[in-house]
Amino acid sequence: MSLNPFPETGQLRHMSMDELTELAAECRRTIIEQVSRNGGHLASNLGCVELTLALHRVFDIKKSPIIFDVGHQCYTHKLLTGRSGAFQKLRQCDGCSGFPSPAESEWDAAVGGHAGTALSTALGIGAARELAGNSDKVIAVVGDGACSNGITFEALNTCKAGGKNLLFILNDNEMSISPAVGALSAQLSKIISGRFYNKTRNAVRRNVKLWPKLHRFVRYIEDRLKSALLPPSAIFQSFGFRFLGPVDGHSLPELVSMLEKIKELEGPLLLHVVTRKGKGAYYAENAPEIYHGVGKFAADDGKLMPASEGFSAVLGKWMCKKAERDERIIGVSAAMIPGVGLSCFSEKFPQRCFDTGIAEEHAAVFAAGMAVAGKRPVCALYATFAQRALDCIYHDAVLGRVPVIFVLDRAGAVPDGPTHHGIYDLGFLRSLPGLVVMMPRNERELEMMLEHALEINGPVVIRYPRGGSKEKALPEPGPLETGKCEVLKESPEGPVIWALGAECGIAEKVVEILEKEKIAATLINIRFAAPFDRETALKFASRLQVVIEDHGIGGAGSALAEILSGIPGSRMAVFNWGKEIVGHGNVDILRKKHRLTPEDIAGEIMKILS
Amino acid sequence: MSLNPFPETGQLRHMSMDELTELAAECRRTIIEQVSRNGGHLASNLGCVELTLALHRVFDIKKSPIIFDVGHQCYTHKLLTGRSGAFQKLRQCDGCSGFPSPAESEWDAAVGGHAGTALSTALGIGAARELAGNSDKVIAVVGDGACSNGITFEALNTCKAGGKNLLFILNDNEMSISPAVGALSAQLSKIISGRFYNKTRNAVRRNVKLWPKLHRFVRYIEDRLKSALLPPSAIFQSFGFRFLGPVDGHSLPELVSMLEKIKELEGPLLLHVVTRKGKGAYYAENAPEIYHGVGKFAADDGKLMPASEGFSAVLGKWMCKKAERDERIIGVSAAMIPGVGLSCFSEKFPQRCFDTGIAEEHAAVFAAGMAVAGKRPVCALYATFAQRALDCIYHDAVLGRVPVIFVLDRAGAVPDGPTHHGIYDLGFLRSLPGLVVMMPRNERELEMMLEHALEINGPVVIRYPRGGSKEKALPEPGPLETGKCEVLKESPEGPVIWALGAECGIAEKVVEILEKEKIAATLINIRFAAPFDRETALKFASRLQVVIEDHGIGGAGSALAEILSGIPGSRMAVFNWGKEIVGHGNVDILRKKHRLTPEDIAGEIMKILS
């Protein structure tokens, strides 16, 4: 059904427009088929097919690398660069990843995954080339949503350094992940219907001919009029860009002809390309925020596999319920309102739900400002993107003991791979003075932790993984006390197993396996990664203590090690993702690779005990 | 000599313009006197005296809080809000801190220290007030330099949320810390000499009267003409701001009259105030980047106490020397070129030294881009500000194994206090896959580490504290090997003391004290916080192991604890800043408070051994 082998990038320059159009259709079919089978980023990739084909046709991509901002639009690029085979196993451990990765292919110049970095990377490459006297273009493809990210602005502001070689493609789909917010976005839409400018200009020109004295002055105005009536180009022009477009991003002839012209121009150049997210799959065009990052679905009608309830849904429900009685409750997120489960809240309380665009830092500080003024904001981010806001959590919430509840969703390993794992934040967060860091073991405990967080007059982090509880038969959570763990099962001897958050479900299975081998074990729900329950740790100091956590080093395992290292005779073992780069793919398979299944862990514990 | 008590904020509204002018002079005298005695931020504070007085005169600051971006311009505010006494001990442990601090005074609404957060905080407070129907102004004072920071842009882009109450004061001193870079800054200077616009407008108005048919159209153009000819206001206006000014920021009558008018307007408002950094001290006016953050100096002629050579100077010299023979060497910093010691490099190699403005994230990613293109960039930041770039170090350097050398200066406790200590980054950095993290014990070892970093084909972090070595008589550093410590002194028994970086000097003294008590000790220079030397740690597993580090929890102490926690019978103790907030003031006094002097540490070791 699909072309195999796919045409490679070098062949595109010999193809006719009809053949390119057919190739675009084939790319779409392949993308829809693979994403429907494996999950992935649908809407953003369908929006970028023609643009990517046109770039590969006009430029030698080895010499003129494409830096994809956020990286969630690189599928067509992958299909054209030797990975159409690996694409059949998209996002599987032995297939290709869903994001640009220099480790995967020399055709990917830079990592993509977090927003806002493409322009900086391209300017860096450009600056190096300027020094070497190399004038090959460096291409940054940036969605309008990613333009709301501060790093893009920082790069725009200094684009003189490295800008000569720069082609900045502004992929304007009026949509980042949820509809783009912000002034810049609002103005971009003005350009598209910028006919008023053209009419006005013509009227002025006609009239001026009648009155020669004004001629030179009006020419002067005219130059500036363009930027005045078309504010976004004014913004970009004022940063020193030559602004080109808009071009229909689904018309291959328009794109190719424009890019051919651009090839000869000196940068910094900005090409404004208007695309439609989800193009070619009606369900994704109609609801691109739903078909942004998806699990498996039916390729014909887009019917999604039912999502389990899980932690995100519980957050949303709790917010809705709580907000009715407590007007201090506020929701803040960074272009992730649906992903973190706040869609219902934003519909019910539109005045109290703030979407900052892809701007995690502003989201964190804005939430802190609201808390300073007496609100109780819940700032919900994906853990991996919250890494952007670590300094703000410290500077704007921790130092002033400002009571923001930071909720980090997708905290743990995820199928998207290295750019998206939420497994590196605990080492920093755990070290901050007075910051309480909790992880619930199941949905009920999340509710309890949210309630508990409201009672703490200071900043709190609540982290949980994608999905929900992994428990089978653990008891209902008991009452919470800051810095106290929950002993789920106590045996008078044998190993003491500490599990962080939803890993309690894994630990439960470990205990079962050990019991079959006649090894009684104690099972503890850590609850507080910080402050860690020192007292309970010391109580069991003479026994083997084991930590299971969905995190790299520096997390709960280190917290327990710090406590026990002062105690002669204590001994512990930690099961986490360690310090290697964790790949992409089904998390259960990743667990197998890293020897983190219940069987692996139980086996290892028995080895240590024997 | 100085007014004591100082007039308080509430009294200002009853003072005449002459009295206010006299008060401004008195504020300047006090600031110069105290900063010359205690060190502090001179130029930025002298530039803001009249602006602060005018704000306190016109607004009730309890109701209309002033959020100072970066916080290094709040001295006058402190003098007016009950802290003129504490100001006599500026930056001393028992005096007032140099930055806004809600813990210090209820007049400080938010923490300030890192750039770019004031607008977000003010919008957060504003949004909360809008919900409560409160229309008191919230005032953000932001320097033009801080406008180059991405968070400011993220906030500008969504200023509809919370903007009704906002008064954004753009303190334009054409200078952030080193001269501001970037497009925005360049354009601000155009406004100041914006007479062309006024002339043009008048010419158009005169002519249009002669030709009524064009009248309506020209009015339409005129509105937009303003933004076209005055690009920065165009930028801000396009974000939805009402742009007011420029006002002379050293004219109290102009400031007061403008602020009185503004009081009644609805936001978001932007008032453009032009000030001069260092105003009132000729040496600071002439060289504001030198008098930004200073140590003690002579108040009459500004003569600075001679700075010791130290780590920063060694970095600069090494860069200059190396760059002559290796054209891959590039310098990148974020508005900190002089502070990190790169002034000489930037003069000698202006094409190869990049200042991104106060934009640590862009600096890190830009450096990564240059490394992708074959350069070997050294990206030098202050450790505390590098917290902004933690995600970029991960996403853009670590994941692609991109060989950037990140140099974190001022890593450790500093006199400026909580907002500026560089003691929280190791927990995160240490957990990143493949990232090498080094700390040199003296200046010679820094050179060696820089050379070593060049040989590593991947990202490297080199951290060091303000100043230089604290050693007295330790041997010359021996050759470096990644992941291997340096044993400086080995004894066959007794405690094993691991010291990180310049703490080797402290550890040297600890060993001396122990030897006087007939306790032989082994002294180890850790060198690599990551990867930590597991082999040596295990070699000494049966002895008491001690870690001394200028960091909070999560650093080298945790690294050793992780290794030893699996070894029954091992025992260790860690001496670091722990998890409390570390205050401001002389670092030696802070060490005493936290029981981290050589005497304290030696005493504690003897206690454990006995």
Side-chain angles (χ1 to χ4, degrees), chain A residues 114 120 150 154 157 182-184 187 196 200 204 217 238 361-362 387 391 394-395 418 430 558 562 565 572 579, chain B residues 114 120 150 154 157 182-184 187 200 204 217 238 361-362 387 391 394-395 418 430 558 562 565 572 579:
Chain A
H114 294 191
S120 298
E154 291 176 349
N157 195 41
L184 199 60
Q187 287 164 1
F196 178 65
T200 311
V204 175
F217 173 63
S238 68
E361 293 178 298
H362 171 56
Q387 287 178 184
D391 182 62
Y394 169 67
H395 179 269
R430 209 172 55 75
S558 304
E562 286 157 15
S565 65
M572 61 173 286
K579 267 198 76 166
Chain B
H114 294 192
S120 299
E154 292 177 350
N157 194 42
L184 199 59
Q187 287 163 3
T200 311
V204 174
F217 172 63
S238 69
E361 293 178 298
H362 171 55
Q387 287 178 183
D391 183 63
Y394 169 67
H395 179 269
R430 209 172 55 73
S558 304
E562 286 157 16
S565 65
M572 62 174 285
K579 268 198 72 166

Side-chain angles (χ1 to χ4, degrees), chain A residues 87-266:
Chain A
F87 198 79
Q88 304 295 315
K89 291 183 172 190
L90 176 66
R91 297 171 82 241
Q92 295 180 29
C93 291
D94 52 350
C96 80
S97 100
F99 290 88
S101 164
E104 182 181 283
S105 165
E106 55 182 347
W107 290 97
D108 296 352
V111 164
H114 294 191
T117 66
L119 198 52
S120 298
T121 305
L123 287 174
I125 296 174
R129 290 191 170 181
E130 276 180 36
L131 287 171
N134 173 337
S135 63
D136 288 321
K137 287 264 174 294
V138 186
I139 304 161
V141 175
V142 185
D144 61 318
C147 283
S148 64
N149 185 279
I151 307 182
T152 299
F153 168 80
E154 291 176 349
L156 282 173
N157 195 41
T158 54
C159 71
K160 272 193 185 162
K164 250 191 199 166
N165 299 25
L166 178 71
L167 169 55
F168 173 9
I169 295 188
L170 178 61
N171 174 22
D172 180 8
N173 45 49
E174 294 178 83
M175 164 82 59
S176 55
I177 294 181
S178 49
V181 288
L184 199 60
S185 175
Q187 287 164 1
L188 280 173
S189 56
K190 279 192 206 161
I191 298 191
I192 302 165
S193 54
R195 278 173 301 174
F196 178 65
Y197 159 65
N198 293 319
K199 275 193 193 164
T200 311
R201 184 191 56 190
N202 295 339
V204 175
R205 280 191 180 155
R206 270 196 307 274
N207 287 321
V208 163
K209 281 184 193 149
L210 302 174
W211 196 14
K213 280 194 175 174
L214 256 179
H215 188 79
R216 215 176 110 235
F217 173 63
V218 169
R219 283 294 301 241
Y220 178 86
I221 297 184
E222 203 188 294
D223 281 356
R224 277 145 192 85
L225 179 63
K226 187 166 180 180
S227 38
L229 294 184
L230 307 178
S233 69
I235 290 182
F236 292 112
Q237 282 170 0
S238 68
F239 285 123
F241 277 90
R242 182 152 175 193
F243 194 94
L244 303 150
V247 171
D248 175 353
H250 300 300
S251 159
L252 278 161
E254 264 194 53
L255 283 164
V256 168
S257 128
M258 178 62 97
L259 290 172
E260 288 287 5
K261 274 178 222 149
I262 280 178
K263 218 174 164 180
E264 309 308 325
L265 303 177
E266 190 169 88

Side-chain angles (χ1 to χ4, degrees), chain B residues 79-131:
Chain B
L79 289 171
L80 300 173
T81 52
R83 284 171 279 182
S84 58
F87 198 78
Q88 305 294 316
K89 292 185 172 189
L90 176 66
R91 298 170 82 239
Q92 295 180 29
C93 291
D94 53 349
C96 82
S97 100
F99 291 88
S101 163
E104 181 180 283
S105 165
E106 56 180 348
W107 290 96
D108 296 352
V111 165
H114 294 192
T117 65
L119 198 53
S120 299
T121 304
L123 287 173
I125 296 173
R129 291 192 169 180
E130 277 180 36
L131 287 171

